């Protein structure tokens, strides 16, 4: 995210200049194109419109920088090779099985509290998210109740199918309409580039959200989950 912020800073500086002094900005950027700049200087109305445009650009850039900065959450684990923070726990109770079948259309699953990272770890392979469920940490469904003891806030439970347990999870909430999510699993070097789409075990991977999902859609890479 640092690269995007560095890209936005010059835009913010130029827009801020246009808000503070649109006339001097015109003289620097555009007056050189005229033989007689004083005669061709825009009207006061034109400068007002320029000020409005620059103000809107500045406001949008500031909003983006703030939103991106919030995405770099201290919750995220270090970007070294991660390991699951808890032993995978199979769902077993009757109520858990019923809820699991309703939410993920499977009869059994293994919960893995994989560490959250900001970048894909080395020696990892992406796993396709086939389904998801939004829950609150204070009132989790039975199939993740044990892992959510003492937790709160909004969470996504990501459902993936693979032969190896997930080792890391990422979430990006920069967009107002889309939440990007990614689950990776370990592999032998060199890792295949193809996404894992099947496996013997159905895994549930919880990841915390900064705010409730509301009407936002969850995307796995370039496609919405379920596409």
């Amino acid at each position: 995210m640092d690269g995007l912020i560095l890209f936005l800073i010059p835009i913010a500086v130029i827009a801020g200049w246009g808000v503070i002094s649109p006339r001097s900005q015109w003289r620097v950027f555009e007056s050189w194109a005229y033989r007689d700049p004083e005669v061709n200087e825009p009207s006061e109305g034109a400068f007002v419109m320029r000020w409005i445009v620059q103000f809107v650009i500045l406001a949008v850039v500031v909003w983006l920088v703030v939103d991106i900065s919030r995405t770099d959450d201290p919750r995220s684990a270090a970007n070294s090779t991660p390991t699951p923070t808890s032993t995978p726990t199979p769902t077993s109770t009757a109520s858990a099985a019923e809820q699991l079948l309703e939410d993920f259309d499977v009869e059994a699953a293994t919960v893995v509290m994989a560490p959250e990272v900001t970048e894909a770890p080395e020696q990892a392979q992406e796993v396709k998210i086939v389904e998801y469920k939004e829950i609150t940490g204070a009132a989790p469904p039975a199939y993740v109740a044990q892992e959510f003891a003492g937790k709160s806030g909004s969470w996504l439970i990501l459902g993936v199918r693979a032969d190896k347990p997930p080792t890391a999870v990422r979430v990006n909430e920069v967009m107002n309409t889309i939440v990007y999510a990614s689950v990776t699993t370990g592999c032998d070097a060199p890792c295949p580039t193809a996404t894992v789409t099947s496996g013997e075990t159905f895994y549930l991977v919880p990841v915390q959200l900064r705010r409730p999902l509301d009407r936002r859609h969850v995307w796995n890479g370039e496609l919405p989950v379920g596409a």
Side-chain angles (χ1 to χ4, degrees), residues 101-120:
L101 189 61
E102 179 180 351
D103 291 345
F104 291 93
D105 198 27
V106 294
E107 296 181 351
T110 299
V111 182
V112 176
M113 298 296 289
E116 185 180 345
V117 297
T118 56
E119 296 181 4

Side-chain angles (χ1 to χ4, degrees), residues 77-84 112-129 158-171 181-188 191-197 203-207 220-221:
N79 291 325
S80 56
T81 303
T83 55
V112 176
M113 298 296 289
E116 185 180 345
V117 297
T118 56
E119 296 181 4
E122 296 182 0
Q123 305 305 329
Q125 187 174 10
E126 185 138 354
V127 185
K128 179 182 179 181
I129 300 171
L158 306 173
V160 302
R161 185 172 289 280
D163 292 324
K164 296 181 179 180
T167 55
V169 59
R170 290 180 291 161
V171 63
S182 173
V183 176
T184 53
T185 186
C187 61
D188 300 324
C191 293
T193 56
T195 300
V196 176
T197 58
Y203 293 100
L204 301 178
V205 186
V207 60
N220 187 185

Side-chain angles (χ1 to χ4, degrees), residues 19-51:
V19 169
I20 296 172
S21 181
R23 192 181 303 273
S24 66
Q25 189 182 66
W26 179 86
R27 288 173 179 170
V28 170
F29 287 145
E30 300 179 44
S31 65
W32 60 269
Y34 300 98
R35 185 184 301 275
D36 191 345
E38 292 185 1
V39 173
N40 291 278
E41 185 175 287
S43 66
E44 291 299 325
F47 279 125
V48 169
M49 288 302 300
R50 177 185 290 266
W51 183 91

Side-chain angles (χ1 to χ4, degrees), residues 129-145:
I129 300 171
V130 297
E131 188 57 85
Y132 66 89
K133 172 74 174 179
E134 182 185 15
I135 70 167
T136 58
Y143 51 79
V144 290

Side-chain angles (χ1 to χ4, degrees), residues 62-75:
V62 170
W63 174 82
L64 284 173
V65 170
V66 171
D67 201 39
I68 292 170
S69 298
R70 288 178 179 174
T71 303
D72 296 332
D73 200 309
R75 296 183 288 108

Side-chain angles (χ1 to χ4, degrees), residues 5-23:
I5 291 178
L6 290 175
F7 172 76
L8 292 173
I9 287 176
I11 298 176
V13 171
I14 294 174
W17 180 13
V19 169
I20 296 172
S21 181
R23 192 181 303 273

